[in-house]
Amino acid sequence: MKLAVAALLVSSAAGFSMDMTFSLGKKKAAGKKKAPAVKVGGASPSADAWANAGPSTALPFATAPATLDGSMLGDVGFDPLGFSTVPVGPWFKGIEGRNGVPSDLTWYREAELIHGRIAQVAVVGFIAPGLFGTLPGNEWTGVDAYSYTNPLEAFSKVPGLALLQIFLFMSFLEFRRLSIIQEEGSNYMAGDLRIGQGEGRYNPFGLNYSDEQYEEKRLQELKHCRLAMVGIFGLWAQALASGEAVTDQLGAGLSVPSYAAKAGYFLPEGI
């Protein structure tokens, strides 16, 4: 009896061992070899630019990202928010010419120049009506349609067709600019509307600068653009706060009050 029980236990253990071996072998055979893990990520372009940052000319106490290495005209290392380190969006990459796509910095310089030029025109529009007068109106537009010297008020008084003319002219310039970018591609020079000196360009003033003078004029325009962008924000904020034209405020600020003519105003009475 004991021998029968022992034989039964041995045979059960052997069968369990064979089942386990067969089962494990089957799972191993059915399993697929895992593909090697692909490493994703790494330092972003912005992180690389700041990791290799250098001293800033504009802000001596700060650093400039490596994207601003001083090779571009007007580059003084001023980019505290790191705009130049971020690649432009994919919609810009779609504007490709026969020579490839303009670089990221070229796009940013393009935006700086276009906004700066608009700001320069806007500054003239804020100041000129108060200094030189406004355009005459008529019965169709309204006699006083163009007589407002506060630009924020004038915008709501100008006829809609006049604003439409401005919009259509701006649209024409934008389509022309995009067509030039597509044609030039990576050779495109930021801000180039093919106006000014050069072969095949519209040059109504007959400009003919030397290479050194031309670069100096480009730098002057860039500085004026930057100044105008800061200035137009101040003009807009002041007009919004005061509700008066810029020239009216400047005139009041530069006028001499009547009491200033009194010699004894700031002196004790009787002296």
Side-chain angles (χ1 to χ4, degrees):
M1 183 65 180
K2 292 182 178 180
L3 289 175
V5 174
L8 181 61
L9 292 174
V10 171
S11 61
S12 300
F16 179 77
S17 176
M18 289 177 64
D19 288 341
M20 286 293 292
T21 304
F22 177 76
S23 176
L24 291 174
K26 184 177 181 181
K27 288 184 178 180
K28 186 175 182 180
K32 295 182 180 180
K33 187 177 181 181
K34 292 183 178 180
V38 179
K39 187 176 180 181
V40 180
S44 65
S46 180
D48 287 337
W50 284 113
N52 298 285
S56 171
T57 304
L59 302 174
F61 54 85
T63 57
T67 48
L68 300 181
D69 57 2
S71 59
M72 180 173 280
L73 181 71
D75 176 14
V76 290
F78 182 81
D79 190 14
L81 299 181
F83 288 121
S84 65
T85 67
V86 182
V88 296
W91 48 86
F92 290 100
K93 299 298 184 183
I95 304 178
E96 183 173 356
R98 61 186 179 185
N99 297 317
V101 181
S103 65
D104 292 337
L105 279 183
T106 300
W107 277 118
Y108 285 121
R109 174 54 56 83
E110 176 80 1
E112 183 179 23
L113 285 172
I114 296 302
H115 285 89
R117 290 168 180 173
I118 295 174
Q120 290 181 83
V121 175
V123 168
V124 174
F126 264 71
I127 299 175
L131 292 178
F132 306 108
T134 57
L135 298 175
N138 53 46
E139 294 181 359
W140 180 74
T141 61
V143 178
D144 298 329
Y146 303 108
S147 61
Y148 298 90
T149 55
N150 181 2
L152 302 184
E153 183 182 12
F155 185 80
S156 62
K157 303 296 183 180
V158 173
L161 288 179
L163 296 178
L164 179 61
Q165 291 177 1
I166 298 174
F167 174 78
L168 292 177
F169 179 68
M170 293 171 60
S171 299
F172 165 74
L173 293 179
E174 282 297 288
F175 281 113
R176 173 178 170 80
R177 183 170 66 92
L178 291 177
S179 65
I180 295 175
I181 293 174
Q182 288 181 324
E183 182 178 346
E184 296 292 337
S186 60
N187 295 332
Y188 176 71
M189 183 174 66
D192 183 15
L193 294 177
R194 294 179 178 172
I195 298 176
Q197 70 181 55
E199 185 178 355
R201 295 171 176 267
Y202 179 63
N203 189 10
F205 299 105
L207 303 177
N208 187 24
Y209 297 113
S210 65
D211 293 341
E212 293 77 11
Q213 291 174 331
Y214 186 70
E215 289 300 302
E216 180 64 24
K217 294 299 180 182
R218 289 181 60 208
L219 181 59
Q220 289 176 2
E221 182 195 20
L222 185 61
K223 291 181 177 181
H224 292 153
C225 285
R226 292 169 176 173
L227 180 61
M229 286 189 284
V230 176
I232 193 59
F233 177 78
L235 292 173
W236 171 81
Q238 186 64 21
L240 186 65
S242 65
E244 297 181 2
V246 177
T247 51
D248 294 339
Q249 298 178 64
L250 290 175
L254 297 176
S255 62
V256 179
S258 58
Y259 61 77
K262 300 178 181 179
Y265 184 83
F266 297 102
L267 300 174
E269 186 175 356
I271 297 181

